[in-house]
Amino acid sequence: MDLLHYLILSMLLFIVGAVGFIVKKNIISMFLCVELMLNAVNLSFIAFSSFLNQVDGQIIVFFVMVVAAVEAAVGLAITIVLYRNRNTLNADDADTMKW
Amino acid sequence: METVLFYLFATVALASAVMVVVNRKVFYSAISLIICLCSVAVLYLILESPFIAAIQIIVYAGAIMVVFLFVIMLLDPFSSSIMRDKKKFLAYIGVLLGILTITLLYPVLRSYDIAQTPKNPRFLDREVGSIKQLGESLFNEYLLPFEMTSVLILIAIIGVVVLAKRQVSK
């Protein structure tokens, strides 16, 4: 398998995640799509790391996973607070700060 | 063998990624995302990085997705997640943008030539994926970012506790 196959798979996964982020209105679904995009980028990092013989890509993936965990924790806490205050999970309903 | 495994798990990953977006119930989206993460972990194994594959399954598909599922079950998804599509055209615009991005990005990926990029002479071929090599690099070159992540996690813990605390006096 050459690098192009992995890059194309990574691109397709990223675009599915990005389209999902645009289309979805449920906040938790949008978070899942963000995780999907992070995962796609991780795949291309690992592919480059493997094909270029460098360990740096794997370390960046390690850090991306840490950031993903942090983002999920904070985001889900915000979701819970939103649900408690507004009784909704729809991102369009949280428009207080919208201009 | 490797090719067959790649195509099998790439197909599973793509199909479950599409299911994440298509499913209307959040719970099933999360389950599809777990399947996607696990099949990408198999691709990591094919790419000779077993440590990242293990971390992917333990931390990502294990810990993070359990938090997601926990919150989903806490918030009663089966009643509130099925929403009316007020803006149907948004879906078409999204798909259109996706196709546009694919057509723009594919020639760029196509034109990249791996042979022109110099390989790192520091490592032997078999050593790159090993945990020893990863740990040495992580705790020498990347020590400062590693310590920064602990600060980041501390900030996140404090932030989550502050956010999720109930305000008693209102």
Side-chain angles (χ1 to χ4, degrees), chain B residues 73-142:
Chain B
M73 297 317 282
L74 200 67
L75 295 185
D76 191 17
F78 292 108
S79 61
S80 60
S81 72
I82 305 171
M83 283 176 257
R84 311 172 300 284
D85 275 337
K86 274 181 282 186
K87 296 179 226 163
K88 188 84 175 169
F89 67 95
L90 209 61
Y92 297 119
I93 291 177
V95 173
L96 211 68
L97 276 178
I99 292 169
L100 184 71
T101 319
I102 289 174
T103 50
L104 289 178
L105 210 55
Y106 180 72
V108 180
L109 296 184
R110 190 81 214 208
S111 65
Y112 177 73
D113 188 11
I114 186 102
Q116 287 177 357
T117 313
K119 286 202 169 192
N120 195 339
R122 266 190 309 167
F123 306 124
L124 298 175
D125 272 344
R126 308 291 341 156
E127 263 190 342
V128 169
S130 75
I131 299 174
K132 180 166 174 280
Q133 194 60 256
L134 202 64
E136 273 175 6
S137 191
L138 188 63
F139 289 106
N140 290 318
E141 274 179 86
Y142 293 93

Side-chain angles (χ1 to χ4, degrees), chain A residues 5 24 35 39 53 56 81, chain B residues 7 21 23 56 60 125 142:
Chain A
H5 286 81
K24 288 279 186 173
E35 300 289 329
N39 196 44
N53 253 355
D56 305 62
V81 173
Chain B
Y7 279 112
V21 177
N23 260 324
Q56 169 100 351
Y60 229 127
D125 272 344
Y142 293 93

Side-chain angles (χ1 to χ4, degrees), chain A residues 77-99:
Chain A
I78 292 174
T79 308
I80 290 176
V81 173
L82 180 75
Y83 187 75
R84 198 184 286 155
N85 289 338
R86 297 278 179 92
N87 207 15
T88 179
L89 284 179
N90 195 333
D92 292 342
D93 288 347
D95 54 358
T96 311
M97 291 176 76
K98 210 171 178 180
W99 183 58

